[in-house]
Amino acid sequence: MSSQLDLALPATVPELEKFAAITCQNEPSLAVYSLVELPMAQLEEMVSFLVSHVSGIGHPLHIRLAEPTPDFSGKTLKDIFQAHLTMVEKGFNPVPCEAPCELPCGIFAWSPCYFIVVVKKDWKSSADGLLLVFHEKGHIIPIDKVFFSVEDSVTLLDMAIGEEASVYVKADSVECPPPKPNRVSEPTGGGEPVQRRGRGRDHRK
């Protein structure tokens, strides 16, 4: 049960502000973690299920199990957050930015601003078996989370991926090129309606 898990988020994460100042030049992968004990085969099935379920949303979608391990059973959401930042840092490569963009540019193997967490073993049938953690630059609550079901994944991930292209480009009077398509390899491996971000989010812990 997700109610028994420690889903507290850190109040601030300075590392995310550093990444938010970088113009993303690709479409990074969304990492998947688990706070419940599941066989690796089931986690791989879940990733494949999510990818196939949202394959028609109109955006390139790259969802992968986190490395070196997605298994954080017995740990906390804060533990995942720290591991996620380390993984993002290792998978980041700075690149020259095309004119007239004056912001630092880079290629991210993993999205720093979004990741998915399995919080229930019955994730396929549960209305709140999955969790999306996200960062929104400039918001009063910059780090937040929302529970969702497989049925909600199309709406929620479409919203997240649609913003991924512009989430790093926030400077005034600077025109930066859009992210380039990700040419990397393919990914391995009836719920309650999702509330849109900025309105009455679910903060269950």
Side-chain angles (χ1 to χ4, degrees):
M1 296 291 291
S2 59
S3 59
Q4 299 172 331
L5 301 175
D6 184 349
L7 301 180
L9 286 169
T12 59
V13 182
E15 295 92 335
L16 279 181
E17 293 304 320
K18 177 185 71 174
F19 290 133
I22 296 171
T23 303
C24 186
Q25 292 291 292
N26 67 316
E27 289 153 357
S29 296
L30 272 69
V32 174
Y33 300 88
S34 181
L35 281 171
V36 294
E37 187 175 359
L38 288 171
M40 188 62 64
Q42 287 191 30
L43 289 175
E44 291 171 350
E45 176 194 8
M46 190 273 293
V47 170
S48 297
F49 192 92
L50 266 184
V51 170
S52 64
H53 199 71
V54 299
S55 60
I57 64 176
H59 301 292
L61 183 62
H62 308 277
I63 301 178
R64 294 191 285 152
L65 293 177
E67 298 172 354
T69 178
D71 183 9
F72 280 75
S73 56
K75 298 185 180 180
T76 70
L77 189 55
K78 287 183 179 179
D79 292 329
I80 288 181
F81 216 108
Q82 289 307 310
H84 183 71
L85 291 173
T86 299
M87 183 181 70
V88 168
E89 185 77 50
K90 289 181 178 179
F92 168 71
N93 290 303
V95 297
C97 219
E98 299 177 11
C101 183
E102 299 175 356
L103 297 176
C105 293
I107 293 174
F108 288 88
W110 303 92
S111 168
C113 290
Y114 299 92
F115 61 83
I116 297 168
V117 183
V118 184
V119 293
K120 285 188 176 181
K121 290 186 177 183
D122 59 342
W123 56 268
K124 190 178 292 189
S125 59
S126 175
D128 55 359
L130 301 172
L131 190 70
L132 180 70
V133 178
F134 56 92
H135 168 262
E136 291 182 309
K137 184 180 178 184
H139 285 239
I140 297 175
I141 305 175
I143 307 163
D144 214 338
K145 61 183 184 288
V146 60
F147 293 87
F148 68 103
S149 69
V150 171
E151 285 74 15
D152 295 329
S153 59
V154 171
T155 300
L156 189 66
L157 296 181
D158 181 36
M159 191 163 52
I161 294 167
E163 292 182 6
E164 188 74 34
S166 60
V167 72
Y168 303 109
V169 186
K170 300 293 185 181
D172 295 333
S173 69
V174 175
E175 294 292 333
C176 291
K180 298 176 181 178
N182 192 343
R183 303 294 183 187
V184 190
S185 59
E186 290 293 321
T188 58
E192 299 170 350
V194 172
Q195 296 173 335
R196 300 186 72 87
R197 296 201 293 274
R199 298 185 178 94
R201 305 183 187 94
D202 190 343
H203 294 281
R204 281 171 285 179
K205 297 181 180 178

